[in-house]
Amino acid sequence: MTADNKFADTSETIFIGRGEQPAWLTLALANRHGLVTGATGTGKTVSLQVMAEGFARAGVPVFAADIKGDLSGISEAGEGKDFILKRANDMGLRFQPDQFSAVFWDVFGEQGHPVRATVTEMGPLLLSRMLDLNDVQEGVLNVAFRVADENGLALIDMKDLRSLLDAIVPDTSKKAAGEEDALASIRKAAQGFGNVTKATVGTIQRQLLVLENQGGAKFFGEPALSLRDFMRTDHDGRGMVNILVADKLMQSPRLYATFLLWMLSELFEELPEAGDPPKPKLVFFFDEAHLLFNDAPKALLDKIEQVVRLIRSKGVGVYLVTQNPIDVPDKVLAQLGNRVQHALRAFTPRDQKAVAAAAQTFRPNPKLETAQVITELGKGEALVSFLEGNGTPAMVERIMIRPPTGRIGPITPEERKAIMDNSPIKGKYDTAIDRESAYELLQKRLAGTAAPADAAGAGGGVLGQIGAIVGTIFGTNVSRGRLSTGQLIARSVTRSVTNKVVGGVVADLGKSVGGSMGGSVGRALVRGALGGLLRR
């Protein structure tokens, strides 16, 4: 879209819409996060698309969850329909269809590239939330991860975790001497951390079955997602728009919320400090954000608030999309500086209370009765307040959101297939890899063919020795809540080398070791400083 006057995107701002005054989102302040709210059908998705298009034009990669499939239209040129042309003309804009480079992702691998993480990367704390475990069950899961850590048992997929849980269960039955001896040390190690009961392990196993039935098993495995694949630009220098296909994922809301929380925490750990860059490195849109906070304990809310606050310095902007500002806890809400509020309806006393609460989150404008205007907004209209040059919120203004230049609505299966066939990451994640891990190692022990676990076993050969040495230097108490520093280094090096081999690139091992050591130590120290994302 081009403009016949001053209302157009610039190298420093994104034009969002216009009322009595134009509304601009300043790129240098876009990493101060934001909030898009409004009732169903009031235009939140279109506002999200307009913002995503603006960031992409500015060369900022975008990640957004597509709940209804409508956001996929951003990958195709828009159509000059009557209502679009009218809105553009009213704003002094000349509508020019545009399309944006998109990469589709899907946890289930059906409508996008598969998204995977290892069980180890997810960790016992996030996994406990995903499984809705109580404190006792979470404690047993932490014991299982600790035993895996100390015995060099890599937890890659669900069968690894299941076999490990079976291995730590106290065995009161009579079995062959060889089998008993093979797993006795693991059981003894588990019991050394407390009373691990068969009933508790059985409950965890049943919860794992529920997760598997919801498709969660497809999420755990390798090749694991490299979050830097989200941070790409196309050949024109525009930011890639990464779209998570979430219509099926939303049938498992806890999996959806935990997955996005995991991504956010991993971004925080992996990215270096950036201070206040002229534009974000990545913008992250979290739709149906209320799911992140539903039934969350206070310790979790504190950590979410902490990560949202600190990830700004990594150059990442987080934009939550939900129906009402009261869906977001006050501590997190205070971190969301850029606001877009669509209409809310007030038919009951409770609705009226919600509208009043939403109005109080804006800086007042003496020309507007904010609470009343919220109930009067038409489709496509919004109240906005973006951060100004000194980082303070502007007075609330009533505007009409500009029409997006990409298609409004979903793309066809044929169009999606064509985009995936030309994807820059085609083939990188499409085929699952099942390497030797806890399941296979435990089976070997039972068969009497496994070598004894040693200090180097966790990292595998020379890489494990490197991990052990650095782990000794930094201490095993500095951890991500999952692995010791040394084992993190070994795992990171192994993945780095494996990814290069799979990709057909002959890597320099010394360079890989050096780079992975630095990144792993940094991530480990960050996790230690924060006490773990969900550590109580």
Side-chain angles (χ1 to χ4, degrees):
M1 180 179 293
T2 60
D4 298 325
N5 53 26
K6 61 182 180 180
F7 303 121
D9 293 346
T10 71
S11 61
E12 299 178 351
T13 59
I14 300 172
F15 176 55
I16 302 298
R18 182 183 178 189
E20 290 187 4
Q21 299 291 332
W24 307 90
L25 176 58
T26 303
L27 286 168
L29 298 173
N31 65 334
R32 305 292 179 94
H33 313 315
L35 180 68
V36 181
T37 52
T40 301
T42 56
K44 293 194 302 295
T45 302
V46 170
S47 293
L48 191 160
Q49 182 171 336
V50 166
M51 296 172 75
E53 290 180 359
F55 283 120
R57 286 192 196 95
V60 178
V62 173
F63 177 90
D66 191 11
I67 302 296
K68 298 173 290 187
D70 293 346
L71 193 58
S72 61
I74 198 173
S75 62
E76 300 294 331
E79 302 175 24
K81 297 182 178 179
D82 291 343
F83 74 95
I84 292 178
L85 295 176
K86 182 179 184 306
R87 186 182 298 187
N89 290 333
D90 290 344
M91 293 183 180
L93 298 170
R94 180 165 55 85
F95 180 76
Q96 182 176 334
D98 200 359
Q99 62 188 106
F100 299 83
S101 300
V103 178
F104 292 101
W105 302 88
D106 186 356
V107 168
F108 305 104
E110 297 172 355
Q111 300 183 67
H113 299 292
V115 180
R116 300 186 190 90
T118 65
V119 173
T120 295
E121 286 177 321
M122 180 60 66
L125 302 170
L126 277 175
L127 190 58
S128 295
R129 171 163 169 77
M130 189 181 294
L131 298 175
D132 196 21
L133 303 183
N134 61 30
D135 289 342
V136 174
Q137 295 155 0
E138 181 181 333
V140 169
L141 196 61
N142 273 277
V143 168
F145 273 72
R146 180 65 177 270
V147 170
D149 183 356
E150 295 184 347
N151 286 270
L153 301 173
L155 299 177
I156 304 298
D157 51 29
M158 296 289 273
K159 71 178 185 300
D160 290 328
L161 183 56
R162 282 193 174 280
S163 60
L164 177 63
L165 288 170
D166 287 338
I168 66 173
V169 173
D171 191 2
T172 57
S173 62
K174 294 182 179 180
K175 293 193 175 185
E179 180 176 337
E180 183 63 25
D181 292 340
L183 299 181
S185 61
I186 291 179
R187 295 192 183 99
K188 182 178 179 180
Q191 294 301 319
F193 293 109
N195 185 24
V196 176
T197 67
K198 186 174 183 179
T200 301
V201 171
T203 301
I204 299 174
Q205 292 279 29
R206 287 191 294 273
Q207 292 296 91
L208 286 172
L209 178 61
V210 172
L211 182 61
E212 288 178 3
N213 290 340
Q214 294 175 346
K218 294 184 179 180
F219 173 60
F220 294 103
E222 289 183 323
L225 174 67
S226 171
L227 293 179
R228 292 194 177 270
D229 280 329
F230 291 157
M231 305 178 70
R232 294 172 175 264
T233 56
D234 63 16
H235 61 278
D236 293 324
R238 289 183 168 192
M240 300 289 288
V241 181
N242 298 274
I243 300 176
L244 176 68
V245 180
D247 52 349
K248 184 177 179 181
L249 184 60
M250 279 301 298
Q251 298 174 20
S252 308
R254 189 174 290 272
L255 173 60
Y256 167 76
T258 308
F259 163 64
L260 292 184
L261 180 57
W262 165 78
M263 284 204 330
L264 191 62
S265 65
E266 290 293 304
L267 281 170
F268 174 75
E269 292 173 18
E270 292 188 10
L271 295 179
E273 289 289 330
D276 287 312
K279 62 184 179 182
K281 293 182 177 180
L282 174 71
V283 172
F284 184 98
F285 288 96
F286 194 147
D287 204 356
E288 300 294 338
H290 64 279
L291 296 173
L292 184 63
F293 310 106
N294 283 355
D295 303 321
K298 182 180 182 302
L300 171 61
L301 296 179
D302 289 343
K303 292 305 176 184
I304 294 173
E305 183 268 334
Q306 189 177 37
V307 171
V308 169
R309 174 167 50 86
L310 295 177
I311 202 172
R312 176 189 67 79
S313 65
K314 304 298 183 80
V316 176
V318 178
Y319 287 73
L320 304 184
V321 185
T322 189
Q323 292 203 10
N324 198 300
I326 63 174
D327 295 336
V328 182
D330 290 341
K331 285 186 176 181
V332 178
L333 192 63
Q335 305 299 324
L336 310 178
N338 299 294
R339 305 284 181 86
V340 178
Q341 173 69 63
H342 288 275
L344 293 174
R345 307 309 177 201
F347 300 115
T348 68
R350 185 184 180 196
D351 293 339
Q352 293 168 358
K353 183 178 179 180
V355 169
Q360 291 172 3
T361 64
F362 285 99
R363 178 181 170 186
N365 184 338
K367 298 180 181 180
L368 293 176
E369 182 61 43
T370 307
Q372 180 179 342
V373 173
I374 289 177
T375 64
E376 298 173 347
L377 294 170
K379 187 172 183 179
E381 283 190 300
L383 291 176
V384 300
S385 174
F386 298 127
L387 295 177
E388 297 178 322
N390 57 1
T392 60
M395 288 191 298
V396 61
E397 295 283 351
R398 181 175 182 171
I399 70 165
M400 177 65 73
I401 301 294
R402 71 183 290 182
T405 57
R407 181 186 300 174
I408 298 177
I411 61 175
T412 66
E414 293 75 21
E415 290 169 332
R416 184 185 298 272
K417 183 178 184 302
I419 292 172
M420 291 185 62
D421 286 342
N422 292 284
S423 171
I425 59 166
K426 181 182 178 182
K428 182 173 182 179
Y429 299 105
D430 297 340
T431 302
I433 300 172
D434 188 11
R435 65 181 174 90
E436 185 176 74
S437 48
Y439 174 79
E440 290 79 13
L441 292 174
L442 289 170
Q443 292 298 312
K444 283 185 178 181
R445 287 198 185 190
L446 291 173
T449 59
D454 55 32
V462 176
L463 300 180
Q465 295 177 28
I466 295 171
I469 293 170
V470 182
T472 301
I473 296 172
F474 285 93
T476 57
N477 290 329
V478 181
S479 72
R480 303 172 74 190
R482 302 186 285 239
L483 295 176
S484 68
T485 303
Q487 289 162 326
L488 273 170
I489 293 168
R491 188 202 69 185
S492 182
V493 173
T494 303
R495 177 190 289 183
S496 176
V497 175
T498 301
N499 285 344
K500 288 181 172 63
V501 172
V502 171
V505 179
V506 179
D508 178 76
L509 180 60
K511 183 177 180 180
S512 297
V513 170
S516 298
M517 284 175 62
S520 294
V521 171
R523 289 195 295 272
L525 292 175
V526 167
R527 250 315 152 85
L530 290 178
L533 179 62
L534 305 181
R535 186 180 300 281
R536 290 183 173 85

